[in-house]
Amino acid sequence: MIGLTIAGLDPSGGAGILTDIKTFSALGIHGTSVVTNLTAQNPDKVYGIKEVDTDFISLQFDSILDAYPIEYGKTGMLYSKEIIKLVSEKINENDLKIVIDPVMVASSGANLMNNDYSKYLKKYLIPNGVLVCPNIKEAETLSGIKINNLNDGIKAAEKIGKKTNVIITGGHLNGQSILYDGDIKVYTQELIKTNNTHGSGCTFSAAVCGYLIKNYDLRESIEKSNDYVYNSIKYGRYKTLNPLYELNNL
Ligand code: PXL
């Protein structure tokens, strides 16, 4: 079983590609990656961002897809319109089924997107995804709806859900996640008091992608990923998640 992450590199290992690969590994999946951006950061601060040029991103896609029969992938930090367009073209050309984490801002507060990022995400990428998983802030940006309570979240999910299945992840709404896949379903989870949350969006989207690869349906994959992220946060270390908890048996 093989998965693909199309995302940025967080050298602290807390988020981005390194976390996605750890998550795939914990699920028994061989992880491949296309690096869209290099970042210099730790869980507290982003020191810098360097975009990879689109020709080289394209070459990474070709090198992986020429060698491996990949069906499912996920996207993380894409940063610019040019990268979103290129990634969307590659996804369409290769019929990839993609879980989209619409990464906009790092947990430390730094911007991980360029101007009009949300507009181009909605135009090129989201309509071709199998699931988009925004947190509350990202859902507000994508929907244009301010989310103060569950009802607002449901409205936002229905609006974003016109383009593809969506789950608004619940870390900021009392542990309530809102799925719209034609019907609304609300998942409620206990919130853990901790600062080990850096990378939770990356881990969730990689886990959903991983469970889809393992042939679970979308709802089963989401439910299993909710548990997976809960435990990764619970057993986190060094202000980041521990997506290997299953392997470590902590
Ligand atoms: O958690 C969002 C995220 C995604 N991808 C990269 C990141 C971060 C947050 O810091 O650095 C590369």
Side-chain angles (χ1 to χ4, degrees):
M1 287 183 287
I2 308 173
L4 169 64
T5 167
I6 305 154
L9 178 81
D10 165 4
S12 71
I17 276 189
L18 294 174
T19 273
D20 294 339
I21 300 285
K22 277 191 274 188
T23 305
F24 285 154
S25 296
L27 298 180
I29 288 161
H30 173 72
T32 63
S33 63
V34 167
V35 186
T36 58
N37 290 268
L38 305 176
T39 73
Q41 68 172 304
N42 59 39
D44 298 324
K45 189 176 163 192
V46 174
Y47 291 59
I49 295 173
K50 229 183 197 2
E51 281 178 65
V52 177
D53 71 64
T54 47
D55 285 347
F56 201 74
I57 294 175
S58 183
L59 206 56
Q60 293 179 71
F61 268 106
D62 295 344
S63 67
I64 294 164
L65 293 167
D66 283 353
Y68 297 101
I70 291 176
E71 196 183 346
Y72 282 99
K74 64 148 283 186
T75 58
M77 177 184 176
L78 301 176
Y79 195 75
S80 68
K81 173 186 174 185
E82 291 70 28
I83 295 177
I84 292 173
K85 277 186 85 170
L86 186 267
V87 166
S88 304
E89 277 167 28
K90 288 289 178 187
I91 287 169
N92 294 342
E93 267 170 29
N94 293 283
D95 289 325
L96 298 173
K97 298 183 190 124
I98 296 289
V99 176
I100 301 161
D101 178 5
V103 173
M104 296 181 187
V105 178
S107 38
S108 59
N111 232 0
L112 299 177
M113 63 180 165
N114 218 330
N115 296 339
D116 287 335
Y117 175 84
S118 159
K119 177 171 141 194
Y120 295 114
L121 216 52
K122 283 193 282 192
K123 185 165 173 190
Y124 296 110
L125 195 59
I126 291 178
N128 297 311
V130 291
L131 179 72
V132 59
C133 7
N135 62 26
I136 292 282
K137 283 268 163 295
E138 291 159 351
E140 285 182 342
T141 304
L142 290 173
S143 67
I145 295 171
K146 179 98 189 95
I147 304 173
N148 292 316
N149 53 42
L150 187 61
N151 264 348
D152 298 338
I154 289 172
K155 278 189 206 131
E158 285 173 343
K159 186 157 178 201
I160 300 165
K162 291 199 169 112
K163 290 189 192 295
T164 190
N165 302 317
V166 56
I167 183 158
I168 302 178
T169 54
H172 303 99
L173 199 64
N174 305 320
Q176 290 168 311
S177 298
I178 305 160
L179 170 69
Y180 182 75
D181 60 359
D183 295 303
I184 286 286
K185 176 149 176 78
V186 177
Y187 297 98
T188 305
Q189 235 172 358
E190 178 201 351
L191 280 182
I192 302 170
K193 266 206 157 59
T194 177
N195 60 7
N196 291 321
T197 57
H198 179 61
S200 45
C202 303
T203 302
F204 178 76
S205 50
V208 173
C209 178
Y211 285 117
L212 288 170
I213 292 169
K214 287 158 83 80
N215 260 330
Y216 291 98
D217 70 23
L218 186 65
R219 284 199 176 195
E220 287 168 338
S221 297
I222 286 170
E223 284 153 26
K224 286 183 161 299
S225 300
N226 280 340
D227 286 349
Y228 187 90
V229 171
Y230 175 86
N231 282 296
S232 299
I233 291 173
K234 192 166 170 183
Y235 297 113
R237 297 277 189 281
Y238 315 116
K239 297 188 194 165
T240 68
L241 278 68
N242 180 9
L244 295 182
Y245 79 94
E246 280 189 348
L247 285 185
N248 295 345
N249 208 14
L250 281 169

